[in-house]
Amino acid sequence: MRPAVFLDRDGTIIEERGYLDRLELLELYPFTVDAIRLLNRAGFVTVVVTNQGGIGRGIIDEPFLHHVHETLDARLAAGHARIDRYYFCPHHPDAVIPDLRRKCSCRKPASGMIERACREMSLDPGRSVTIGDRRLDIVCGNAAGTRTVLVRTGHGAHEEAMPPGTARPDAILNNLMEAVGWILRTSSR
Ligand SMILES: [Mg+2]
Ligand SMILES: [Zn+2]
């Protein structure tokens, strides 16, 4: 089984835009390509795990989401970096699409997406790390049995100031690049 890094999308690898519903709103952080390339070269499987309730709410559709991810992939590829797979949850409690209006096991803080990725890609959660800008990312990573890093980009600085609730981050760092540095220093090879 292989180690992975489970990456939240908005506020972690790209700028937080609320609902990203136009391609022009897609903006990588300046360190994102380098950080992901470092993970690729260190042998971590890179998996994006993202709540996309905007699909259930009818704000974006699935083809558009794939288009965003293909565009993101192209920008990463230009810097020789790669996301190995994307998992998204299209559900939302207020979804307008009836099939998507339900309490699912994939919407973070639930850990269904990470657990599914581990099964489908033979990943070892115990040697893996979850990175996100919200406490729900940390709760999800904790529940899946990974280590976790809260980053201060996106909602992170605000979330850090909130009561922790059940989230137990192993580290709180400024951004994705610092998180990757921490992973490379602290992972047993
Ligand atoms: Mg986020
Ligand atoms: Zn879901």
Side-chain angles (χ1 to χ4, degrees):
M1 293 206 296
R2 299 175 294 170
V5 175
F6 299 102
L7 298 156
D8 171 52
R9 197 193 75 176
D10 300 10
T12 300
I13 63 175
I14 63 174
E15 292 277 0
E16 168 64 54
R17 300 295 194 198
Y19 286 105
L20 197 168
D21 58 357
R22 287 180 292 126
L23 203 56
E24 309 88 82
L25 297 176
L26 172 63
E27 187 179 348
L28 281 69
Y29 290 116
F31 43 76
T32 294
V33 173
D34 292 336
I36 292 177
R37 189 179 56 245
L38 283 168
L39 292 174
N40 297 146
R41 293 195 174 163
F44 289 93
V45 178
T46 51
V47 182
V48 165
V49 171
T50 179
N51 282 354
Q52 290 297 324
I55 295 176
R57 299 187 71 185
I59 296 167
I60 61 167
D61 60 16
E62 210 175 305
F64 177 77
L65 182 72
H66 293 308
H67 186 44
V68 170
H69 293 169
E70 283 161 13
T71 306
L72 177 52
D73 284 342
R75 295 193 193 166
L76 292 169
H80 309 286
R82 177 189 78 250
I83 297 293
D84 290 300
R85 202 176 290 185
Y86 293 84
Y87 287 86
F88 65 93
C89 165
H91 308 106
H92 193 280
D94 303 322
V96 295
I97 298 169
D99 283 355
L100 300 179
R101 186 173 57 233
R102 59 184 169 89
K103 186 156 169 40
C104 61
S105 58
C106 42
R107 183 173 167 81
K108 296 182 283 188
S111 52
M113 288 190 281
I114 293 182
E115 285 159 11
R116 185 171 154 215
C118 287
R119 280 196 308 275
E120 292 181 352
M121 303 177 77
S122 297
L123 308 176
D124 179 359
R127 290 161 61 214
S128 299
V129 181
T130 300
I131 306 175
D133 68 313
R134 299 192 63 184
R135 299 221 178 254
L136 60 81
D137 299 307
I138 303 308
V139 172
C140 168
N142 290 154
T146 71
R147 294 192 299 154
T148 56
V149 180
L150 181 71
V151 288
R152 295 189 177 103
T153 47
H155 295 289
H158 178 71
E159 296 257 321
E160 182 185 11
M162 304 277 286
T166 57
R168 295 286 176 271
D170 293 285
I172 301 178
L173 298 166
N174 284 328
N175 59 46
L176 176 67
M177 184 55 96
E178 289 191 7
V180 168
W182 180 87
I183 290 168
L184 299 181
R185 284 195 308 276
T186 60
S187 296
S188 48
R189 305 305 304 158

